[in-house]
Amino acid sequence: MTPALETRGLAKQFGGLKVTRDLSLKIAQGARHALIGPNGAGKTTVINLLTGVLRPNGGRILLEGNDITDVTVHGRVLRGLSRTFQINQLYPDLTPIETIGLAVSERLGRGGDWWRVMGTRSDVNAEIAENLERFHLTDVMNEPTATLPYGKQRLLEIAVAIATKPRVLLLDEPAAGVPESERHDILAAVASLPRDVTVLLIEHDMDLVFSFADRISVLVNGAMLVEGAPDEVARDSQVKAVYLGEGADG
């Protein structure tokens, strides 16, 4: 089966600093795939390359078998590739219902007329309500985003990403900065993502990684160190040495 997302020999450098080195990665259709590694391993650079924020110095990126290496960020979203960010990119003055409504309307090509679309189309209203419910946002749907607890803001960002109807979703540290008391909803939301959406998770929280992923890739110094099933990765001596605490610095 054609991978949902694939890189072939992906490379990125800034001046003389090589951040991504000959990275070849395959994310299977419908996978729950995690990309982990110590601080400075190049994980965020890889995400920025996959989403078009950065251009590679070498290699190719394929989405469902189609080369998207030169496609714009917006073009990749239209082709079914969406992401969340380590630091949320939400509109602070909009409410969750408005934010999700805008995302749905943009997907339908009605972004400039989103208030009318929200008010008059039952299918759009139903989709907004479904996302509010799925991501535990109904109780705060009319509150300005800036006033929401940080965990709710993270949930809203995932909801917005899902509202674009991605076939591949990149989650960049969804639990980062979320207080322990709010992490349960994040874990539940990630676990309940639709199975027809392929997910690549970048995360430091090993509890989240090992409860979520069916395959894990370990990145070190911009190159692939180990890839395999979670139990294989957990037992690997190289992973223990550089990442999971045995002689590791991050």
Side-chain angles (χ1 to χ4, degrees):
M1 182 179 293
T2 302
L5 187 63
E6 180 180 3
T7 69
R8 296 178 182 174
L10 198 62
K12 180 63 181 179
Q13 63 185 62
F14 300 97
L17 178 63
K18 294 182 178 179
V19 182
T20 305
R21 307 163 185 260
D22 192 29
L23 181 65
S24 294
L25 177 67
K26 290 184 179 181
I27 312 298
Q29 296 278 354
R32 298 296 186 255
H33 198 125
L35 181 65
I36 68 173
N39 290 330
K43 302 183 296 297
T44 296
T45 297
V46 171
I47 290 297
N48 286 334
L49 290 168
L50 292 174
T51 54
V53 174
L54 294 174
R55 292 181 59 83
N57 296 107
R60 313 303 293 169
I61 303 169
L62 291 86
L63 179 64
E64 298 177 326
N66 299 307
D67 193 322
I68 61 167
T69 310
D70 299 320
V71 175
T72 64
V73 173
H74 184 61
R76 297 183 199 206
V77 173
L78 293 177
R79 294 184 184 211
L81 177 64
S82 293
R83 72 174 291 183
T84 64
F85 294 81
Q86 285 180 321
I87 300 173
N88 76 60
Q89 306 289 307
L90 300 169
Y91 296 106
D93 295 332
L94 295 184
T95 65
I97 193 171
E98 292 167 348
T99 301
I100 296 172
L102 178 58
V104 172
S105 299
E106 285 282 358
R107 189 192 79 233
L108 297 173
R110 297 291 301 277
D113 197 23
W114 64 290
W115 287 104
R116 182 177 301 173
V117 173
M118 283 181 62
T120 61
R121 290 189 53 173
S122 59
D123 56 338
V124 172
N125 293 338
E127 185 175 338
I128 294 168
E130 179 184 354
N131 278 316
L132 289 168
E133 179 72 23
R134 172 183 288 165
F135 295 103
H136 309 287
L137 294 166
T138 305
D139 59 331
V140 295
M141 65 181 181
N142 292 313
E143 302 294 329
T145 294
T147 68
L148 301 182
Y150 194 63
K152 293 288 189 181
Q153 293 184 28
R154 301 298 287 184
L155 287 168
L156 178 56
E157 190 175 21
I158 299 173
V160 168
I162 288 297
T164 68
K165 293 289 187 182
R167 293 188 299 282
V168 179
L169 176 62
L170 310 182
L171 293 175
D172 193 355
E173 299 195 29
V178 177
E180 187 66 30
S181 60
E182 299 173 30
R183 287 181 69 257
H184 177 270
D185 283 347
I186 300 291
L187 298 177
V190 171
S192 68
L193 289 171
R195 290 302 306 190
D196 59 348
V197 178
T198 301
V199 181
L200 175 61
L201 172 73
I202 296 82
E203 183 57 66
H204 281 294
D205 186 320
M206 290 298 100
D207 289 338
L208 176 53
V209 168
F210 283 97
S211 67
F212 173 79
D214 47 43
R215 192 162 187 83
I216 298 174
S217 299
V218 183
L219 195 68
V220 175
N221 295 325
M224 188 70 68
L225 177 71
V226 172
E227 183 174 281
D231 58 342
E232 296 171 340
V233 170
R235 292 195 305 265
D236 190 275
S237 59
Q238 296 180 90
V239 174
K240 292 178 180 179
V242 303
Y243 192 80
L244 294 181
E246 298 184 9
D249 60 5

